[in-house]
């Protein structure tokens, strides 16, 4: 998939690579929307991260093998940027057996222990304290790993965030908090939800190393993340706020009646993918036709994820009772089986 | 054979100590578990032996205590998270019920959450409505959570050791009224298997199914009934409510034809309700009488010792209930 990119032999391969990763996230999310329109997604609880690609890509570019992370419900881009297979992701979003969680998790509960993904979460703030524990485990087991919690500005309304920040700072854990401030918790704008929207100040109050960065420039996000992750690895937990704009509604069906067209048009000008693309062209690092080929290759790759997810099979019905408890433990008795047993009369 | 005279509290500490010596991944975290030694003294002295990295005093942050234990368990540790009172479980319910209980299932079996949530509940110390409850039904109502409630010194030790070997999250609820109870513990004895109930007393006239401190009330009632009324009541200690061992209950109830469930938790939609429903469904053709629940009154717990004691089943109430049933 990197052919067109490699041919370009650019001098700033870093920005080119960050662009490539962001374009993959953007295109994947567009295909998730398409899967829904085609009636092939499992439900409509699909939260797209279009407009927020620099957060996922800029931070994940600084993670290593052995690092762990949790995400919020808008986490497709983060998982993909960390190395997920988009076809297996799409199959999970479609509720298929071939998905990462065999169709039991879906968009909001996708996870992969192999990549250190301790899970996406459908409870706002729900995945945050797990990274404190994972950081504790990394410290006690001396793995050298860092654990990162990705969440939105909406989670700054949850007490669990502050409990977790306090513990991470108190115990000097290799932990980092990544707040993707897309300006909206569902339909409520950040200034309607808090009197002080300078979110990094809260982290400073807890003794964390904190920064806010404009998500328009992915290389700025990557630089800030590099500094904070290095600090976290050395025992100074960090907090990074990435300012961006959620281009579309909260979930797939939300048409954003709570904000007007002018605001949306203005917000969508903060496009990190387009910004990186223009920078590659204007600086002479890559030309437009090469970038068109890169984009086309990615489109082909992501189109295939839709075909794959549609072609794959549903989970077996009897898998329903599996994995409530560990393998080897008795599975819960199905209602029908119980009824047949207790109502059997000689 | 190592027989020791000990208490419920010391038996719990012994189980923690031995497990921590054998496995450096076992850690304890919670409010006052370290320097203070635990609100009820269970973890006293452990910080001296195992250090601050393994016996971790936390801020008063119950959701994050349980939530970080979840992450630690996923990342290779085996945390024992202490919740000072089970009454605080509502604070932690998202991390317990939405995270710990569902992670294995939601993630398609990729990983489990081998943690133990140690807590204590029940009446007996005039601790009032927010420090005296029996909330096991909250836990039992959530698939994915194991639930153990030891009634004896032996089980305080053996059940906790077994809980620390489980691949899935275990909520381990001690009874605050039992910590000073004395008993003989054989640490080398083959313990009853995890998930198996124990017949504490044989009896052909009816079966009393119970757990935790109410076992002692049921046994006291059974003694009174035997000596004063000639009634022989069997008493079954469930030990774990999940797994629930119905195989031990069924044959005894089928034989006796009468069953009573005794629980300190409030009656409505409680553990006793579930057990009564199961016994009725499974043993219907053998029952001479309705399955009776003797459970906590449907009220909060008072500070007044008189009101408190009468808010939950007493040996006298159990005795009377059996007499009403068999008259």
């Amino acid at each position: 998939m990197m052919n067109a990119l490699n041919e370009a032999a650019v001098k700033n391969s870093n920005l080119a690579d960050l662009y490539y990763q962001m374009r993959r996230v953007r295109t994947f999310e567009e295909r998730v929307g398409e899967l829904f329109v085609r009636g092939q997604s499992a439900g409509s609880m699909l939260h797209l991260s279009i407009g927020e690609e620099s957060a996922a890509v800029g931070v994940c570019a600084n993670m290593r093998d052995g690092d762990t992370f949790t995400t919020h419900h808008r986490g497709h881009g983060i998982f993909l940027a960390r190395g997920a297979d988009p076809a297996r992701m799409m199959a999970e979003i479609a509720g298929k057996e071939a998905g990462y969680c065999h169709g039991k998790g879906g968009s909001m509960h996708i996870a992969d222990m192999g990549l250190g993904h301790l899970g996406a979460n459908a409870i706002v703030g729900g995945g945050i304290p797990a990274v404190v524990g994972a950081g504790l485990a990394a410290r006690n087991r001396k793995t050298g790993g860092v654990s990162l919690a990705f969440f939105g500005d909406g989670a700054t309304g949850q007490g669990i965030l502050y409990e977790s920040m306090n513990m991470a700072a108190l115990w000097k854990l290799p932990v980092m908090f990544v707040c993707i401030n897309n300006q909206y918790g569902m339909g409520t704008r950040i200034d309607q939800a808090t009197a002080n929207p300078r979110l990094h100040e809260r982290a400073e109050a807890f003794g964390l190393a904190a920064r806010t960065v404009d998500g328009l420039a992915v290389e700025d996000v990557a630089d800030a993340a590099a500094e904070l992750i290095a600090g976290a690895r050395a025992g100074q937990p960090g907090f990074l706020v990435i300012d961006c704009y959620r281009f579309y509604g909260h979930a797939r069906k939300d048409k954003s009646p709570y904000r007007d067209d002018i605001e949306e048009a203005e917000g969508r000008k903060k496009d990190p993918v387009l910004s990186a693309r223009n920078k590659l062209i204007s600086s002479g690092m890559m030309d437009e036709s090469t970038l068109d080929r890169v984009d086309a290759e990615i489109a082909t790759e992501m189109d295939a994820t839709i075909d794959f997810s549609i072609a794959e099979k549903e989970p077996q019905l009897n898998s329903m009772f599996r994995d409530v408890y560990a393998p080897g433990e008795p599975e819960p008795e199905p209602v029908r089986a119980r009824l047949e047993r207790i109502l059997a009369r000689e | 054979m190592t027989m020791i005279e000990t208490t419920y509290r010391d038996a719990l500490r012994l189980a923690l100590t031995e497990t921590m010596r054998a496995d450096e991944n076992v850690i304890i975290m919670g409010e006052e578990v370290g320097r203070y030694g635990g609100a009820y003294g269970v973890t006293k002295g452990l910080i001296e032996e195992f250090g601050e990295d393994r016996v971790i005093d936390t801020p008063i942050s119950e959701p994050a205590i349980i939530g970080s234990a979840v992450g630690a368990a996923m990342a290779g540790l085996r945390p024992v998270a202490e919740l000072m009172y089970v009454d605080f479980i509502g604070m932690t319910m998202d991390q317990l019920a939405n995270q710990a209980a569902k992670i294995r299932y939601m993630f398609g079996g990729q990983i489990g959450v081998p943690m133990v949530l140690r807590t204590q509940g029940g009446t007996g110390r005039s601790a009032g409505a927010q420090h005296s409850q029996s909330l096991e039904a909250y836990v039992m109502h959530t698939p994915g959570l194991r639930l153990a409630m030891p009634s004896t010194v032996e089980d305080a030790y053996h059940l906790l050791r077994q809980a620390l070997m489980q691949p899935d999250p275990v909520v381990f609820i001690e009874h605050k009224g039992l910590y000073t109870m004395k008993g003989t513990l054989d640490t080398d004895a083959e313990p009853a298997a995890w998930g198996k109930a124990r017949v504490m007393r044989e009896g052909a006239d009816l079966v009393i199914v119970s757990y935790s401190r109410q076992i002692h009330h049921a046994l006291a009632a059974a003694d009174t009934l035997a000596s004063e009324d000639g009634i022989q009541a069997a008493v079954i200690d469930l030990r774990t409510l999940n797994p629930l061992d119905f195989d031990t209950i069924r044959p005894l109830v089928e034989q006796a034809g009468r069953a009573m469930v005794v629980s300190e938790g409030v009656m409505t939609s409680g553990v006793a309700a579930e057990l009564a429903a199961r016994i009725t469904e499974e043993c219907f053709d053998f029952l001479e009488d309705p399955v009776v629940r003797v459970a906590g009154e449907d009220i909060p717990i008072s500070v007044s010792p008189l009101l408190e004691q009468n808010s939950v089943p007493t040996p006298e109430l159990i005795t009377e209930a059996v007499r009403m049933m068999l008259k």
Side-chain angles (χ1 to χ4, degrees):
Chain A
M1 286 300 162
M2 290 284 283
N3 291 346
L5 197 62
N6 291 342
E7 279 167 28
V10 292
K11 53 180 183 214
N12 189 344
S13 61
N14 193 35
L15 182 61
D17 188 53
L18 294 171
Y19 169 77
Y20 173 77
Q21 296 295 342
M22 288 199 297
R23 174 60 73 189
R24 287 181 82 235
V25 171
R26 171 74 53 96
T27 310
F28 179 81
E29 295 286 50
E30 289 167 352
R31 296 301 179 274
V32 171
E34 197 182 318
L35 190 76
F36 168 76
V37 171
R38 289 171 65 174
Q40 298 285 343
S41 65
S44 62
M45 300 286 266
L46 303 171
H47 308 87
L48 305 183
S49 63
I50 293 176
E52 309 174 11
E53 294 87 350
S54 63
V57 170
V59 176
C60 288
N62 292 287
M63 290 174 70
R64 296 183 196 158
D65 287 353
D67 290 347
T68 55
F69 65 106
T70 61
T71 83
H72 54 339
H73 56 288
R74 202 176 301 283
H76 299 160
I78 299 156
F79 190 23
L80 190 62
R82 193 67 197 101
D85 172 359
R88 284 184 67 199
M89 283 182 70
M90 197 66 86
E92 187 61 36
I93 291 164
K96 298 297 181 69
E97 167 65 30
Y100 271 98
C101 307
H102 311 303
K104 282 179 173 158
S107 167
M108 293 198 291
H109 308 302
I110 203 160
D112 181 53
M113 298 312 128
L115 289 171
H117 189 357
L118 304 183
N121 221 292
I123 306 295
V124 174
I128 295 173
V131 306
V132 174
L136 224 142
R139 181 196 73 182
N140 279 20
R141 292 162 66 87
K142 300 180 175 60
T143 66
V146 171
S147 196
L148 292 86
F150 292 87
F151 51 90
D153 47 290
T156 64
Q158 293 280 32
I160 191 89
L161 171 63
Y162 304 100
E163 295 184 8
S164 300
M165 278 164 37
N166 182 48
M167 285 183 176
L170 179 68
W171 299 329
K172 301 179 169 51
L173 297 178
V175 162
M176 178 151 149
F177 301 89
V178 183
C179 178
I180 303 173
N181 182 3
N182 67 14
Q183 315 301 320
Y184 281 89
M186 204 163 162
T188 303
R189 212 172 50 224
I190 181 79
D191 60 293
Q192 296 161 339
T194 181
N196 177 6
R198 297 178 301 280
L199 302 174
H200 68 271
E201 292 179 2
R202 303 179 189 190
E204 284 166 354
F206 282 90
L208 298 169
R211 285 188 58 183
T212 295
V213 64
D214 187 343
L216 183 62
V218 66
E219 60 276 35
D220 291 350
V221 177
D223 288 349
E227 184 189 317
L228 290 170
I229 290 177
R233 228 179 271 287
Q236 170 55 61
F239 191 103
L240 178 61
V241 182
I242 299 148
D243 275 334
C244 51
Y245 190 76
R246 194 187 72 204
F247 281 19
Y248 299 101
H250 161 68
R252 193 57 189 78
K253 280 184 167 171
D254 172 21
K255 303 277 186 267
S256 314
Y258 40 82
R259 60 191 197 188
D260 59 34
D261 294 346
I262 300 164
E263 186 204 300
E264 284 199 344
E266 212 41 49
R268 287 175 190 165
K269 282 183 190 165
K270 277 187 68 167
D271 184 335
V273 183
L274 189 61
S275 169
R277 197 177 204 275
N278 289 341
K279 217 172 291 177
L280 287 167
I281 296 167
S282 64
S283 65
M285 288 188 269
M286 289 177 81
D287 60 45
E288 197 158 4
S289 64
T290 308
L291 284 163
D292 288 345
R293 278 160 54 209
V294 170
D295 293 354
E297 282 177 11
I298 290 170
T300 305
E301 178 196 7
M302 296 306 170
D303 283 343
T305 67
I306 292 197
D307 299 337
F308 174 79
S309 65
I310 292 172
E312 283 298 312
K313 58 183 189 301
E314 306 272 341
Q316 298 263 322
L317 187 57
N318 66 8
S319 75
M320 190 160 83
F321 297 97
R322 199 177 301 149
D323 297 325
V324 182
Y325 303 101
E329 300 283 327
E331 291 180 357
E333 185 179 25
V335 168
R336 188 182 301 279
R338 188 183 106 261
L339 290 175
E340 285 170 355
R341 186 169 54 74
I342 63 177
L343 298 176
R345 295 276 162 77
E346 286 87 46
Chain B
M1 200 156 78
T2 320
M3 299 285 275
I4 49 171
E5 292 300 319
T6 187
T7 61
Y8 187 85
R9 171 192 287 130
D10 292 347
L12 291 163
R13 188 187 310 114
L14 184 63
L16 289 169
T17 304
E18 289 182 359
T19 311
M20 289 183 81
R21 281 179 189 156
D23 180 357
E24 63 176 14
N25 286 320
V26 177
I27 62 164
I28 294 175
M29 54 195 303
E31 295 156 8
E32 311 296 348
V33 297
R35 291 167 196 84
Y36 192 95
Y40 282 88
V42 173
T43 55
K44 203 171 183 61
L46 296 185
I47 194 168
E48 281 81 12
E49 177 169 355
F50 299 106
E52 290 179 16
D53 284 355
R54 292 184 65 199
V55 181
I56 303 169
D57 277 321
T58 66
I60 303 170
S61 304
E62 288 90 3
I65 294 166
I66 304 308
S68 57
V70 170
M74 293 177 79
L77 296 181
R78 188 174 266 283
V80 181
E82 181 173 318
L83 187 62
M84 197 186 284
Y85 285 78
V86 76
D87 308 70
F88 310 160
I89 204 167
M91 304 283 300
T92 75
M93 221 54 190
D94 175 55
Q95 290 301 320
L96 188 61
N98 282 328
Q99 315 297 341
K102 294 178 174 59
I103 278 171
R104 184 188 292 284
Y105 192 82
M106 291 192 300
F107 300 167
Q110 290 183 57
I111 194 164
V113 183
M115 62 175 278
V116 173
L117 189 166
R118 260 194 63 239
T119 186
Q120 56 79 27
T123 56
R125 293 182 61 91
S126 286
Q130 298 172 343
H131 285 72
S132 304
Q133 297 171 88
S134 298
L135 300 180
E136 56 272 18
Y138 291 10
V139 178
M140 201 183 181
H141 198 61
T142 305
L145 298 178
R146 298 305 195 185
L147 175 57
M149 297 187 71
S151 70
T152 64
V153 170
E154 282 174 286
D155 273 347
Y157 174 82
H158 289 297
L159 265 185
L160 185 51
R161 292 218 60 166
Q162 290 170 335
L164 280 158
M165 297 188 306
Q166 296 306 308
D168 292 307
V170 178
V171 178
F172 191 92
I173 308 179
E174 298 149 18
H175 197 293
K176 66 169 67 63
L178 296 179
Y179 281 126
T180 56
M181 181 177 66
K182 293 190 172 76
T184 306
L185 172 66
D186 180 355
T187 54
D188 297 331
E190 186 67 29
W194 172 259
K196 290 303 284 183
R198 187 167 154 200
V199 181
M200 304 293 279
R201 190 184 199 287
E202 308 269 354
D205 296 327
L206 91 154
V207 180
I208 301 175
V209 181
S210 189
Y211 57 93
S212 191
R213 188 183 61 161
Q214 287 298 332
I215 284 295
H216 302 288
H217 291 184
L219 288 170
D223 283 348
T224 305
L225 290 161
S227 61
E228 294 180 10
D229 306 79
I231 295 170
Q232 296 302 326
V235 176
I236 297 177
D237 181 359
L238 290 172
R239 303 173 69 243
T240 60
L241 295 175
N242 183 344
L244 182 64
D245 175 18
F246 206 82
D247 291 340
T248 297
I249 299 173
R250 185 186 292 105
L252 294 191
V253 173
E254 286 181 358
Q255 212 171 18
R258 288 186 179 84
M260 174 179 291
V261 186
V262 179
S263 162
E264 195 163 318
V266 300
M267 187 186 71
T268 301
S269 294
V271 170
E274 172 59 29
L275 290 166
R278 285 207 192 199
I279 294 169
T280 305
E281 281 188 344
E282 304 258 351
C283 309
F284 186 77
D285 291 342
F286 298 85
L287 292 172
E288 311 271 352
D289 276 307
V291 180
V292 170
R293 285 173 289 167
V294 179
E297 303 287 351
D298 284 328
I299 56 172
I301 305 294
S302 295
V303 164
S304 148
L306 179 70
L307 300 184
E308 180 192 32
Q309 282 159 25
N310 286 284
S311 298
V312 299
T314 56
E316 295 72 30
L317 180 65
I318 299 167
T319 306
E320 254 181 86
V322 172
R323 284 177 182 152
M324 285 189 249
M325 203 174 176
L326 288 169
K327 76 163 184 273

